[in-house]
Amino acid sequence: MFNISDEKRKVLDTTGNLLVIGGPGSGKTTIALLKARHIIESGVLQNEQRVLFLSFARSTISRVEQHANIVLSKSIFNRLEINTYHSFTWAILKSHGYLLCSKQLRLLPPHEASARLADYDKDVDKKLEINRLFKEEGLVHFDLFARMCAKLLAKSNSLSILISETYPTIILDEFQDTNADEWAFITQLGKKSNLIVLADAEQRIYDFRGADPARIGQFIATFHPTTFDFGNENNRSNGTDIVQFGNDLLTGENRHKKYKNVQFVYYPIRKGSAQLILLKSAIIKACERLKCEDKQEWSIAVLLPSNSLMLAVSDFLERTQRFTNGAILPHIRHEVAIETAGPSIAAVLIARLIEHGSTKQCKLNQLLIDLCEHIRGRRGDKPPSKSDLAISESLVGYIKTGKIRGTKRQAIIDECNAIINNCNSLEYTGEVASDWIKVRELLLDASSDCIKQVKLDANYLRLLHRGSILNSSLSEIWRRYDNYIGAADAVKNALTQEHFATSTKTWTGVNVMTIHKAKGKEFDEVIIYEGSFPGQRFVYNEGKTEQARLNLRVAVTRAKRNAIIFTPQVNSCSLL
């Protein structure tokens, strides 16, 4: 049962701009939904007007929607629009972007943008190229959404009025994470609409994308809101010391203290993946604990500091370990929240092979073009290595001249030729899953690292929960044409739509993800694990200690019942 304190009741009766501050699980989202209900039930909204709820992540939106279905009746829910910043701003740009650019606007999705921008090491150069792509080609990078929408609202008073008349009240979740462009957009929204801001300065973990500690103060100075502070009220993990540990962590007062439902495990360093044995044992015990409670739906999060460690842990959980003493650690079924760039580009490459192979028209140059895009863009926001760029440049040179130097690079050409010939020789049946796997497996025998990486990334596509989307898209094409013509574009469209779709996923069972991916989610139990190498540590740079405190606090406070933190015995985490 949600506890409505006196401070929360005041929120419901206060009009104008509001700032609601509170720690993890303090009830900010719930009171915002109740506030939306109060506004809708009061009858102040006219026909077609709605309350708008904006947040950053689709996973957060999913949780808010699920909570809204509990808190709000269906008639009230229909007057509340819950959306992400990206989806909301892209809808504005699609309809009104012609005011800013003479070109027809087209989305530049992240997996394509990473390949396009791979040559630019410096942020300033990358931003110049993003702006050039917008002006000269009409390609809209995600980073431009908020900035361009702010310009639109500043330039067009009629558009500003239209939005404010549609959404007279706008709720802004996770406000502490807004960057400068999003703040500029919010400033424009707030000129004609009432803003209700939900924030926790201590959950600010996106400084790398421009979140600013001064943002909450800027909102107060600009909009003079009535402020409500829920402090350390705790509805998520009530009866535990989880939030108290998280708060003490920020000040260093957690050292040498014991906390109810927060456990520390100092594990011994072992060779290779063997040091993950204790982690896997802890996950199995947590599963057994929750199953014994007869919970129909239970959730565990395994949170890691880096993508590489996340994938290593996932691989270890996927396998069964058998020991000489007869003991067995069984396979653990789990979900992985992975970065999408590599699997997405790999999906387009395979779709193109299927498309052209189904009409016996696979060509070497097209495969090399797609392979270069994967080499350059698979790491997402991180630039490709110098060696990867060199390989990509060599392959582009081969496309132009038909010449290439070096036996390893010649091997790439030879293996691509073999893949092309095999694709053209395959018999395609229209059974999408079967055809997809047959083409994907053609990459298996390659010795070249860049081709093997496509196969590896393609394997992770199933973890994106997009298999059904791709299957239905390609099945429809086969039914129409008896081949897969248009498959690559269909896959691109499916992946693009997924960026804007509100996820309805519920995080049940065992889930493996990075700490940043866990933001906005909650689980029955959380197991946080740091490795022994610099790139796998909570504190990997002494200059980033304060940010590490914020990250670890966010990780721990995702737990509703229990949190376990793993750190090496040797050189254990300095924060603990």
Side-chain angles (χ1 to χ4, degrees):
M1 179 65 68
F2 180 71
N3 179 34
I4 302 181
S5 62
D6 291 340
E7 187 78 354
K8 289 184 172 75
R9 291 185 188 279
K10 292 177 185 177
V11 174
L12 302 181
D13 297 324
T14 305
T15 58
N17 295 320
L18 306 181
L19 171 61
V20 179
I21 299 173
S26 61
K28 299 187 297 297
T29 300
T30 302
I31 202 63
L33 292 173
L34 293 175
K35 178 66 174 178
R37 184 178 74 181
H38 184 77
I39 292 170
I40 294 166
E41 288 178 338
S42 69
V44 298
L45 296 183
Q46 300 175 8
N47 289 337
E48 306 304 321
Q49 285 189 326
R50 297 186 294 279
V51 175
L52 175 64
F53 189 110
L54 286 180
S55 192
F56 291 103
R58 286 178 290 126
S59 57
T60 303
I61 291 299
S62 176
R63 182 173 60 83
V64 172
E65 283 191 334
Q66 292 164 15
H67 199 34
N69 279 317
I70 298 172
V71 174
L72 309 178
S73 66
K74 185 175 181 180
S75 60
I76 297 295
F77 187 85
N78 290 337
R79 303 296 299 273
L80 174 67
E81 180 176 324
I82 303 173
N83 215 336
T84 63
Y85 278 88
H86 277 153
S87 185
F88 182 68
T89 51
W90 177 235
I92 295 172
L93 286 173
K94 282 195 297 184
S95 299
H96 306 282
Y98 65 89
L99 295 172
L100 299 176
C101 180
S102 59
K103 304 288 184 180
Q104 181 177 354
L105 296 189
R106 293 176 294 133
L107 181 69
L108 183 62
H111 56 276
E112 292 183 21
S114 57
R116 284 270 196 150
L117 301 172
D119 291 326
Y120 303 94
D121 293 331
K122 296 180 180 178
D123 285 344
V124 63
D125 294 331
K126 191 173 291 188
K127 288 178 181 177
L128 287 172
E129 177 62 9
I130 288 172
N131 289 329
R132 187 198 68 78
L133 290 170
F134 177 77
K135 292 177 182 177
E136 298 182 11
E137 301 183 35
L139 289 173
V140 189
H141 190 281
F142 271 41
D143 286 356
L144 292 182
F145 282 16
R147 188 193 317 167
M148 293 305 168
C149 278
K151 284 186 178 181
L152 273 175
L153 295 185
K155 184 175 183 177
S156 173
N157 187 55
S158 59
L159 177 59
S160 182
I161 291 173
L162 174 65
I163 290 176
S164 67
E165 287 184 346
T166 305
Y167 309 105
T169 298
I170 300 174
I171 301 169
L172 303 167
D173 194 21
E174 307 284 2
F175 180 76
Q176 71 280 349
D177 289 329
T178 53
N179 63 26
D181 290 335
E182 289 151 355
W183 169 237
F185 175 57
I186 289 167
T187 301
Q188 292 296 326
L189 291 176
K191 288 182 177 180
K192 296 182 173 68
S193 297
N194 285 328
L195 302 181
I196 300 175
V197 159
L198 314 179
D200 176 8
E202 310 303 346
Q203 288 195 70
R204 195 190 73 253
I205 65 172
Y206 288 103
D207 284 8
F208 64 89
R209 64 175 292 276
D212 191 332
R215 196 74 68 219
I216 295 174
Q218 289 174 334
F219 177 72
I220 293 172
T222 304
F223 293 104
H224 312 290
T226 304
T227 300
F228 298 89
D229 191 342
F230 296 170
N232 294 324
E233 290 187 40
N234 180 15
N235 296 288
R236 176 180 297 157
S237 54
N238 197 23
T240 76
D241 292 336
I242 291 171
V243 169
Q244 186 60 55
F245 169 76
N247 293 335
D248 288 350
L249 186 65
L250 297 179
T251 61
E253 294 178 13
N254 61 295
R255 290 186 178 87
H256 310 300
K257 283 187 180 180
K258 291 185 178 180
Y259 295 87
K260 184 179 179 182
N261 299 91
V262 180
Q263 179 185 353
F264 311 107
V265 178
Y266 297 85
Y267 66 85
I269 302 295
R270 293 172 175 162
K271 287 185 178 181
S273 60
Q275 70 179 39
L276 297 176
I277 291 172
L278 285 179
L279 171 63
K280 189 169 185 178
S281 299
I283 297 169
I284 292 171
K285 289 177 182 177
C287 292
E288 291 171 349
R289 253 194 320 271
L290 292 170
K291 287 175 182 177
C292 285
E293 296 175 6
D294 289 329
K295 282 175 64 70
Q296 289 186 343
E297 290 191 350
W298 49 267
S299 58
I300 296 170
V302 183
L303 305 184
L304 295 311
S306 69
N307 282 308
S308 60
L309 183 57
M310 176 188 69
L311 294 177
V313 169
S314 175
D315 288 342
F316 193 76
L317 300 186
E318 193 74 35
R319 298 194 301 271
T320 297
Q321 287 78 35
R322 302 178 188 277
F323 303 98
T324 53
N325 63 358
I328 294 176
L329 281 179
H331 150 83
I332 298 178
R333 185 177 180 181
H334 63 283
E335 301 283 352
V336 185
I338 66 170
E339 294 300 327
T340 62
S344 296
I345 302 173
V348 174
L349 184 151
I350 292 173
R352 189 108 56 195
L353 289 173
I354 289 177
E355 174 179 342
H356 293 160
S358 68
T359 57
K360 314 302 182 188
Q361 293 181 358
C362 275
K363 302 287 192 237
L364 174 63
N365 282 1
Q366 183 60 62
L367 175 56
L368 292 177
I369 290 169
D370 290 337
L371 181 59
C372 286
E373 183 155 321
H374 184 266
I375 291 169
R376 293 161 60 85
R378 65 169 302 272
R379 299 179 65 190
D381 291 335
K382 295 181 180 179
S385 66
K386 290 182 179 180
S387 62
D388 281 345
L389 278 177
I391 291 172
S392 175
E393 290 169 3
S394 294
L395 297 179
V396 170
Y398 177 83
I399 293 169
K400 294 178 179 178
T401 67
K403 298 178 181 179
I404 198 161
R405 301 174 70 178
T407 55
K408 289 186 178 180
R409 294 175 185 182
Q410 181 61 52
I412 297 174
I413 303 299
D414 294 341
E415 289 177 343
C416 284
N417 260 319
I419 291 168
I420 290 298
N421 292 332
N422 288 331
C423 270
N424 286 331
S425 300
L426 282 176
E427 290 298 324
Y428 296 86
T429 64
E431 292 290 331
V432 174
S434 174
D435 291 341
W436 185 279
I437 291 171
K438 282 190 293 188
V439 171
R440 188 187 68 190
E441 294 307 304
L442 293 178
L443 310 177
L444 186 62
D445 296 331
S447 62
S448 302
D449 288 341
C450 59
I451 300 177
K452 289 194 291 186
Q453 190 62 60
V454 176
K455 169 67 166 57
L456 179 61
D457 283 345
N459 286 341
Y460 283 115
L461 187 67
R462 65 184 174 81
L463 303 176
L464 298 180
H465 302 286
R466 294 173 185 171
S468 59
I469 299 173
L470 303 185
N471 197 316
S472 60
S473 299
L474 300 190
S475 293
E476 176 62 24
I477 290 173
W478 184 272
R479 282 194 296 271
R480 285 186 183 182
Y481 307 113
D482 207 29
N483 58 43
Y484 287 113
I485 288 298
D489 286 339
V491 168
K492 284 184 178 181
N493 291 336
L495 293 171
T496 297
Q497 290 170 17
E498 184 71 5
H499 282 291
F500 299 107
T502 301
S503 172
T504 57
K505 175 178 174 57
T506 55
W507 295 91
T508 55
V510 178
N511 303 274
V512 181
M513 65 189 71
T514 63
I515 291 173
H516 280 85
K517 284 282 187 181
K519 183 73 183 294
K521 303 177 181 70
E522 58 182 37
F523 306 88
D524 290 315
E525 298 206 16
V526 167
I527 301 174
I528 308 161
Y529 183 94
E530 71 165 342
S532 55
F533 298 109
Q536 304 174 344
R537 306 304 303 269
F538 298 137
V539 183
Y540 58 89
N541 182 326
E542 290 303 322
K544 301 287 186 179
T545 300
E546 293 309 308
Q547 186 61 57
R549 291 184 193 278
L550 293 173
N551 294 350
L552 189 53
R553 176 179 183 263
V554 165
V556 169
T557 55
R558 299 308 91 201
K560 293 189 284 186
R561 295 170 171 232
N562 197 48
I564 305 173
I565 303 174
F566 279 81
T567 187
Q569 278 180 349
V570 179
N571 193 25
S572 57
C573 179
S574 59
L575 302 181
L576 305 179

